[in-house]
Amino acid sequence: MQAMILERLSFFDRVKSPLKLVDIPIPKPRRDEILVKVSVCAVCHTELDEIEGRTPPPSFPVVPGHQAVGQVVETGPDVHDHSPGDRVGVAWIYSACGRCEHCIEGNENLCRQFKATGRDVNGGYAEYIVVRHDFAYAIPDVFTDQEAAPMLCAGAIGFRSLRLAGITDGNNLGLTGFGASGHLVLKMVQHQYPGTRVFVFARAEHERAFARGLGAVWAGDTEETPPETLHSVIDTTPAWRPMLEALNSLRPGGRLVVNAIRKEDHDKACLSELNYPQHLWMEKEIKSVANVTRADVREFLELAARIPLKPVIEEFALTDANTALCELKARKIRGAKVLQIGKKIRSGGLDTATGSAETSR
Ligand SMILES: [Zn+2]
Ligand SMILES: [Zn+2]
């Protein structure tokens, strides 16, 4: 089968094509696993963290990708909840121990033995993937494969972040960074908290225009001061400055939710500007978001199908995974990037004028 593999850590400023196209054997499902023929795999910022070593894979080579949608083609003998032909999705959580206190409390995302798809085991940048049957999700009919893929991480982790933000209807919510996850959170808020006003901080004017177009009441650069103070801010950026600025915009008792596995180090020095009375006093809180649980993915897919909430998509061929990742690194983002696997599309995406095809529904 065709797969894009990562053989070693590399940095995008030196290596533009860290993933290599290879032909490897189709994996065999074990007793409790299913073999899935991947149709689409969405691209996540976490792939950049894996490639550049901020959350490094424990061994190489590895196939990245943790937002895969496809069809079950084979099941192990112990599998009774999926059959060949079923459409399923695979998310970041590949497995957890199921026995520790975190797992028993329903916080399997915090399990010490948490394993991640596409980092600790091979993921979805390939024609086939094997996964444990109880870590695969039915995809609601309302979604196409392309629409469903970004829901599995960008959507599910956005759902978890929004819950951790703890807002009630009418509260002001800030989003700093406006990529795949941010734009889905904005749409979710409009449904769940119709009285909530969303304020977006983003570096690029095209991201701010995109946010306004989707209904943000205000969109400004990271250092700008929004016209109102905020009850909560969700940070999806790889940098530190946006955290500092978000703390500055919080009202007393407000909460900053940081949705990033790792932060990059280039602007870390700005933390020396942290001023306790300005940024933290008055019971402001900072909370990180770690991974997702299976319940997050299931509950989010149900909610998204009810709304229905659909992502804005940019489509790439599997062989153009490096291009998609380079664009993500350069923050050339409008919605969610997905790799179309097993279907021939022109190099650089469907639309040669823009290098990408966009579907907004
Ligand atoms: Zn992800
Ligand atoms: Zn556990």
Side-chain angles (χ1 to χ4, degrees):
M1 67 170 183
Q2 281 201 332
M4 294 296 283
I5 58 164
L6 178 67
E7 292 181 304
R8 65 189 70 85
L9 301 182
S10 33
F11 284 90
F12 277 92
D13 42 3
R14 273 168 262 152
V15 182
K16 296 292 174 213
S17 299
L19 303 186
K20 190 169 114 185
L21 180 68
V22 291
D23 201 356
I24 53 176
I26 296 174
K28 289 295 288 177
R30 287 187 289 240
R31 298 193 67 85
D32 61 347
E33 289 179 335
I34 57 178
L35 176 67
V36 178
K37 186 174 195 311
V38 181
S39 148
V40 177
C41 188
V43 177
C44 179
H45 196 275
T46 299
E47 269 96 76
L48 303 180
D49 293 329
E50 292 168 9
I51 292 166
E52 297 190 325
R54 287 176 295 277
T55 182
S59 64
F60 296 97
V62 66
V63 179
H66 56 266
Q67 309 182 79
V69 175
Q71 219 174 39
V72 178
V73 288
E74 196 181 330
T75 58
D78 297 346
V79 177
H80 305 292
D81 53 350
H82 297 285
S83 307
D86 288 356
R87 185 166 71 145
V88 295
V90 182
W92 173 245
I93 179 166
Y94 174 81
S95 67
C97 82
R99 296 178 302 274
C100 71
E101 59 170 326
H102 301 298
C103 283
I104 288 165
E105 287 168 356
N107 299 320
E108 58 190 3
N109 59 313
L110 305 180
C111 177
R112 277 179 170 276
Q113 293 179 49
F114 181 95
K115 280 201 170 61
T117 313
R119 183 191 63 188
D120 304 321
V121 294
N122 283 341
Y125 283 24
E127 289 179 284
Y128 293 87
I129 182 174
V130 284
V131 289
R132 250 173 63 179
H133 72 98
D134 48 346
F135 286 79
Y137 313 88
I139 301 292
D141 291 340
V142 61
F143 302 119
T144 64
D145 295 354
Q146 287 90 341
E147 289 164 347
M151 304 299 217
L152 292 159
C153 182
I157 195 106
F159 174 75
R160 185 172 185 86
S161 306
L162 183 57
R163 194 169 57 205
L164 294 178
I167 58 166
T168 55
D169 194 20
N171 284 176
N172 286 344
L173 177 69
L175 300 175
T176 186
F178 198 69
S181 191
H183 95 286
L184 287 169
V185 169
L186 175 55
K187 289 171 175 236
M188 235 181 297
V189 167
Q190 288 165 340
H191 180 265
Q192 286 190 294
Y193 308 105
T196 283
R197 291 150 62 80
V198 177
F199 301 76
V200 170
F201 303 82
R203 278 263 171 254
E205 177 48 36
H206 71 268
E207 289 174 281
R208 299 193 287 265
F210 182 44
R212 288 184 208 106
L214 290 179
V217 296
W218 176 88
D221 203 346
T222 308
E223 288 88 1
E224 284 184 57
T225 305
E228 297 171 32
T229 56
L230 308 172
H231 293 80
S232 291
V233 177
I234 298 173
D235 169 26
T236 53
T237 70
W240 296 94
R241 170 69 63 188
M243 277 182 63
L244 210 57
E245 300 296 337
L247 287 168
N248 202 24
S249 300
L250 284 180
R251 61 174 58 198
R255 182 182 289 178
L256 168 63
V257 173
V258 183
N259 171 4
I261 293 192
R262 296 288 183 273
K263 289 283 192 184
E264 294 174 10
D265 283 340
H266 56 84
D267 72 337
K268 203 172 181 179
C270 77
L271 290 182
S272 66
E273 297 167 32
L274 186 77
N275 176 334
Y276 180 75
Q278 180 188 353
H279 296 111
L280 284 172
W281 197 53
M282 296 303 278
E283 305 195 342
K284 293 181 185 178
E285 292 176 81
I286 304 177
K287 191 165 183 69
S288 68
V289 187
N291 306 319
V292 282
T293 65
R294 281 173 285 176
D296 290 330
V297 181
R298 277 193 215 103
E299 286 169 30
F300 171 68
L301 286 174
E302 280 167 25
L303 170 71
R306 270 202 314 276
I307 293 178
L309 185 165
K310 297 194 173 182
V312 174
I313 293 164
E314 292 179 280
E315 198 175 334
F316 296 81
L318 173 65
T319 46
D320 288 330
N322 285 311
T323 308
L325 289 164
C326 276
E327 288 188 9
L328 199 58
K329 180 74 185 177
R331 299 206 64 75
K332 195 176 161 214
I333 310 165
R334 189 180 161 86
K337 297 181 192 301
V338 299
L339 304 179
Q340 182 70 50
I341 298 171
K343 185 179 99 179
K344 291 263 181 293
I345 57 176
R346 274 197 302 262
S347 180
L350 286 174
D351 180 345
T352 47
T354 61
S356 62
E358 190 181 293
T359 328
S360 179
R361 297 185 191 91

